[in-house]
Amino acid sequence: YASYGLGWHEVILFKRFQYLTKALEWFEKSNDSLGKAVALTQIGEIYFVLGEEEKFKEYTLRSLQIQKQVNDYGGIALCYINLWRHFQTRRMYEDALENYKEALDYRQKDGRQQGIAYAQVNIADVYLETDNYEESLNFAKEANANFLFSKDATGIIWSELIIGYSYLHLNKIDSAQNALEGIVNNSFGIMYDHKVNQAQRALISIYAKHKDLKKAFELQTQYVTTRD
């Protein structure tokens, strides 16, 4: 593979693409609709990584059509989530929100709280990026409650970070500080997660503004030793 100028990441994608293409052929021959849909979704995800926009949308929409026919709510939600990623990376926020709200609807039908939480936190993230801080706060709080129930440490940190940022933008500094301290002081052992680092940076700024230089210095030292 090196002779073709491929790095290890490209080699893994290439091998995965070959495997999924063969799997798709097998699922089509055996009339396995659900297997076909899963393969289409995963091939679409590879095209997304490769930046092949039209192929990504083609495979994702083909999968979505099948998922709806077989009423696989989790699969439908995943297709909408992947479409959201496409729109958000291109700052097409209205389309992103539309797809994430569709994803949330199907996650709720599926009934698994972790899936619901990830749809909610991604909606909160879009609202935060578009300066709609009340909505980002509301969705992040709902997501946080579901993440706490499912004990998803990564999701808890993500939702609490959005809560903290939303409060900061709403000029509710004490509430922001509480949320951010919750991440830094109870990060579930995920000390090298970039979202923990983001919380540390925001808290350092808050401590400095409050002239709490001791806390600012201590957290700065922690940040330097744990950042990515």
Side-chain angles (χ1 to χ4, degrees), residues 37-38 40-46 48 56-57 59-61 63 75-90 99-100 103 107:
V38 171
L40 286 167
T41 296
Q42 294 185 13
I43 292 171
E45 288 170 347
I46 291 174
F48 179 85
F56 158 73
K57 286 193 286 188
Y59 278 80
T60 304
L61 290 172
S63 175
I76 293 168
L78 181 58
C79 287
Y80 280 120
I81 287 167
N82 286 345
L83 289 167
W84 163 85
R85 289 168 60 207
H86 163 74
F87 290 123
Q88 191 173 17
T89 54
R90 285 152 185 78
N99 280 280
Y100 248 116
R107 288 296 190 199

Side-chain angles (χ1 to χ4, degrees), residues 20 60 104 149 155 194:
L20 287 168
T60 304
L104 176 57
F149 181 85
H194 72 281

